[in-house]
């Protein structure tokens, strides 16, 4: 168990999958949680009802919309930048606009959210970014653009850890392997290929990733910063 009583948290992309599990974990452990979503209003309402968190529609592509969510908060201790999409396919065939949109959501949005979050955040705060083991390794074709965005998160957390360390704000990336969500269902067509690369041959549960986020958000993790925390069943081993 972690204790977030008295803490305020913002989770970007909390309506489904890993983000919803993070909202649930932080709220269950006492945090006052706000989360954003892009289009899934019903899913967001269900998460809000289940957890007592506050749902706000704000597209991570829209820097000003996310900045407004942050500035509307009474205070901020924990920022989890989770929203992301995966555009996969033959790079010679993929729509370049779809790749640009992914870069906007997965890279441009997180950079500006981290800066705006740090500006608003109490000293001793936590910034946690959802990377991917594909930021380290990409052992199959069709995922170059996605890997590019997750590698970008690695440089980002290292840099921001230096920029914000004097305020005891920690900045870390969590790097999951396959996690059972809408993005990557455990019974999807790529499951056998993914599991063949793993030491523990199953998708992670979103709650397992949320547990790692909770540790990084906790007081206990105050000296952990600028680091990449892989949780991948040995996918990258
Ligand atoms: P899902 O597709 O299941 O959920 C994505 C969440 O992000 C939803 O809440 C969605 O909101 C939100 N989101 C997506 N785009 C935007 C946007 N433009 N603005 C605001 N919110 C947005 O994905 P996962 O839970 O699987 O993935 C979450 C993160 O984890 C991503 O960054 C992903 O890259 C990363 N990851 C996932 C892995 C996996 O195997 N599942 C492995 C490694 C990393 P809405 O419901 O409104 O669409």
């Amino acid at each position: 168990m972690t204790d977030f009583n008295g803490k305020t948290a913002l989770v970007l992309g909390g309506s489904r999958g890993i983000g919803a599990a993070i909202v649930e974990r932080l709220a269950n452990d006492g945090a006052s949680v706000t989360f954003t979503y892009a289009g899934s209003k019903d899913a967001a309402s269900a998460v809000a009802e289940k957890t007592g968190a506050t749902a706000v529609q704000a597209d991570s592509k829209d820097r000003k919309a996310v900045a407004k969510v942050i500035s509307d908060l009474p205070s901020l201790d924990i920022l989890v930048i989770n929203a992301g999409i995966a555009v996969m396919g033959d790079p010679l065939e993929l729509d370049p606009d779809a790749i640009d949109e992914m870069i906007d959501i997965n890279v441009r949005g997180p950079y500006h959210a981290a800066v705006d979050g740090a500006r608003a955040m109490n000293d001793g705060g936590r910034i946690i970014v959802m990377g991917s083991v594909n930021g380290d390794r990409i052992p199959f074709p069709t995922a170059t653009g996605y890997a590019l965005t997750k590698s970008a998160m690695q440089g980002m957390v290292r840099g921001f850890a230096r920029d914000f360390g004097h305020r005891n704000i920690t900045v870390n990336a969590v790097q999951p392997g396959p996690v059972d969500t809408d993005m990557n269902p455990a019974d999807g067509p790529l499951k056998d290929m993914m599991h063949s690369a793993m030491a523990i041959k199953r998708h992670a549960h979103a709650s397992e990733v949320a547990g790692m986020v909770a540790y990084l958000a906790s007081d206990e993790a105050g000296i952990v910063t600028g680091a990449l925390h892989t949780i991948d069943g040995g996918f990258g081993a």
Side-chain angles (χ1 to χ4, degrees):
M1 281 294 286
T2 37
D3 180 1
F4 298 116
N5 278 294
K7 304 277 190 191
T8 302
L10 173 62
V11 179
L12 300 181
S15 47
R16 294 182 291 114
I18 296 169
I22 295 167
V23 170
E24 187 171 351
R25 174 66 188 258
L26 296 179
N28 281 349
D29 289 359
S32 170
V33 184
T34 299
F35 70 91
T36 64
Y37 63 99
S40 302
K41 192 169 190 304
D42 290 347
S45 299
V47 172
E49 192 170 334
K50 182 177 179 192
T51 62
T54 302
V56 184
Q57 197 281 335
D59 194 314
S60 284
K61 291 195 296 292
D62 183 344
R63 172 165 56 84
K64 290 184 178 155
V66 174
K68 178 161 183 352
V69 174
I70 292 169
S71 66
D72 284 349
L73 295 171
S75 66
L76 182 60
D77 301 295
I78 300 162
L79 172 62
V80 182
I81 302 172
N82 168 74
I85 63 169
V87 177
M88 305 271 194
D90 179 346
L92 303 184
E93 304 292 337
L94 283 171
D95 176 359
D97 288 340
I99 294 293
D100 283 354
E101 183 184 35
M102 176 170 63
I103 292 170
D104 283 349
I105 295 169
N106 291 14
V107 180
R108 205 171 57 80
Y111 177 91
H112 293 299
V115 170
D116 288 325
R119 196 173 278 129
M121 188 169 269
N122 297 314
D123 287 1
R126 303 279 187 262
I127 299 175
I128 298 151
V129 179
M130 202 52 62
S132 165
V133 70
N134 293 142
D136 284 333
R137 286 201 175 81
I138 188 70
F140 51 87
T142 74
T144 305
Y146 181 71
L148 175 161
T149 68
K150 296 305 184 181
S151 296
M153 293 301 92
Q154 301 181 331
M156 190 181 92
V157 301
R158 291 179 175 125
F160 282 149
R162 301 280 183 191
D163 293 327
F164 306 142
H166 66 102
R167 291 172 52 205
N168 288 319
I169 292 172
T170 66
V171 188
N172 288 285
V174 169
Q175 300 197 141
V179 186
D180 183 18
T181 66
D182 295 340
M183 182 189 280
N184 185 2
D187 59 357
L190 298 179
K191 88 173 160 55
D192 290 335
M193 183 273 289
M194 290 181 181
H195 294 178
S196 72
M198 298 171 75
I200 295 175
K201 297 181 185 302
R202 66 167 175 85
H203 278 46
H205 307 300
S207 59
E208 293 173 308
V209 180
M212 181 175 270
V213 170
Y215 167 69
L216 292 169
S218 71
D219 289 344
E220 198 177 4
I223 195 68
V224 182
T225 196
L228 314 173
H229 306 272
T230 299
I231 171 167
D232 70 345
F235 185 91

